[in-house]
Amino acid sequence: HAAVAHRTDLMTITRHVLNEQSKHPESRGDFTILLSHIVLGCKFVCSAVNKAGLAKLIGLAGETNVQGEEQKKLDVLSNEVFIKALISSGRTCILVSEEDEEASFVEPTNRGRYCVVFDPLDGSSNIDCAVAVGTIFGIYMVKDKDKPTLDDVLQPGKNLLAAGYCLYGSSCMLVLSTGNGVNGFTLDPALGEFLLTHLDIKIPKKGKIYSVNEGNAINWDESTAKCKFPKDGSSPKSLRYVGSMVADVHRTLLYGGIFMYPADKKSPNGKLRVLYEVFPMSYLMEKAGGQAFTGKQRALDLVPENIHDRSSIFLGSYDDIEEIKALYAAAEEKK
Ligand code: P6P
């Protein structure tokens, strides 16, 4: 990726988005304000996740603090912070969170034009063993701000205006696309700013890594079982699986290869959620030159029926996904 070498020319995520916005004279800066509130949420979660290991000492998530109060679990805490940050931005009208059974409709007095679907702390079961976790989000435009309905969030992923994730790993990195390419911003804790570090990320056309939970292999269909063996008979791919979607997808985006959570006999619709896991990651993959496929169709063409719908997903390098699509097409013809 073109390294941003100018140490003195600090390209923060806010400045970058303002530059993008200047290409849309009609925009009123609402998106920039919305994004700044999402960034605030990510900074909070980054700080809380980094302290999680000290929970027993300083009474953070899931422990009782010095006052003996039961602290909220980190995913519940993160969800509350994002919900409050998004509502206080005054730019949202519907919020869908992995943590909340129902969608939240923002009061008319504080309502804006954007609908945000998000998983505030995806992979949170990995926190206790200090494995990377992340926040995933997607942004739609409401059809009629005065009459928001669930249909405004039950849209196909191809209608997303923007999507991104924040990875809380060895560094805190926010990867974002607002429709033109994908850019990576790394949090500089000293400044408290996300600085542009990965300009215009493009996923390698082909990769040497596949990422799946092999524990489900006994339930896979024949096409899935063949995905790890390249069609041209070259050596099988290496397996890398963290079990935290943001970590697995981020590695796939930068190094290439495939990430998949296929449907199988046990989970006929796969496990991952359409709105706030499959769509944002599929959107980013396509904007970075990759593909995202459900086993039946382009993932971004899916139309969810309910806000917590699940779907199977195969995403990653363009050529690798082409091979998977060919496998599934051949299996379909045999039926
Ligand atoms: P499994 C984490 O719980 C999650 O939602 C994703 O982050 C991750 O990719 C997947 O589930 C892991 O699922 O069944 O392999 O443990």
Side-chain angles (χ1 to χ4, degrees), residues 50-319:
N50 287 345
K51 290 187 195 120
L54 299 170
K56 293 193 187 334
L57 294 181
I58 57 177
L60 256 181
E63 302 293 329
T64 53
N65 64 14
V66 287
Q67 286 81 18
E69 293 151 356
E70 174 65 26
Q71 291 303 300
K72 291 185 173 71
K73 277 180 66 61
L74 217 42
D75 45 9
V76 174
L77 193 66
S78 305
N79 185 50
E80 286 181 12
V81 167
F82 273 107
I83 293 277
K84 287 178 180 145
L86 289 167
I87 291 175
S88 65
S89 75
R91 297 313 188 273
T92 61
C93 61
I94 306 177
L95 306 178
V96 171
S97 167
E98 191 268 348
E99 289 289 330
D100 297 331
E101 193 49 41
E102 305 300 329
S104 305
F105 287 78
V106 180
E107 287 305 312
T109 49
N110 216 4
R111 196 179 285 169
R113 298 178 295 161
Y114 296 109
C115 306
V116 183
V117 294
F118 64 102
D119 187 343
L121 202 57
D122 184 84
S124 52
S125 57
N126 290 297
I127 285 189
D128 293 345
C129 60
V131 160
V133 291
T135 297
I136 311 172
F137 61 91
I139 301 170
Y140 289 107
M141 179 73 82
V142 71
K143 295 183 186 82
D144 177 351
K145 191 183 114 179
D146 298 323
K147 287 198 281 310
T149 71
L150 270 189
D151 287 344
D152 289 307
V153 286
L154 295 176
Q155 299 191 47
K158 62 190 169 192
N159 292 359
L160 281 168
L161 293 179
Y165 59 77
C166 194
L167 173 64
Y168 311 109
S170 51
S171 59
C172 178
M173 195 165 165
L174 203 155
V175 173
L176 171 73
S177 175
T178 56
N180 309 306
V182 178
N183 293 291
F185 303 83
T186 303
L187 183 64
D188 178 338
L191 295 179
E193 287 283 3
F194 280 97
L195 300 179
L196 180 66
T197 49
H198 293 62
L199 184 64
D200 194 21
I201 299 173
K202 292 298 177 203
I203 183 171
K205 208 160 172 319
K206 203 163 170 45
K208 296 187 173 59
I209 298 170
Y210 78 101
S211 185
V212 69
N213 182 339
E214 282 276 359
N216 296 328
I218 192 164
N219 297 318
W220 290 345
D221 62 31
E222 199 185 324
S223 306
T224 301
K226 289 179 183 168
C227 290
K228 59 187 155 185
F229 302 114
K231 195 174 58 175
D232 61 9
S234 54
S235 57
K237 299 180 188 296
S238 294
L239 171 62
R240 293 286 183 275
Y241 193 68
V242 178
S244 185
M245 188 183 196
V246 178
D248 281 318
V249 170
H250 186 62
R251 182 204 55 248
T252 305
L253 179 67
L254 297 186
Y255 293 0
I258 49 176
F259 168 81
M260 53 189 187
Y261 207 109
D264 61 30
K265 295 186 204 93
K266 186 184 71 173
S267 323
N269 292 319
K271 172 185 181 182
L272 300 180
R273 307 286 184 170
V274 173
L275 275 182
Y276 40 78
E277 290 179 312
V278 172
F279 277 172
M281 295 313 203
S282 300
Y283 180 89
L284 290 167
M285 278 296 156
E286 289 200 1
K287 296 297 179 188
Q291 293 197 75
F293 176 61
T294 67
K296 293 193 176 73
Q297 64 184 99
R298 177 191 179 216
L300 291 181
D301 287 342
L302 271 176
V303 181
E305 289 170 12
N306 300 295
I307 59 172
H308 297 296
D309 276 3
R310 300 171 191 265
S311 169
S312 54
I313 183 69
F314 302 78
L315 58 78
S317 292
Y318 191 90
D319 290 357

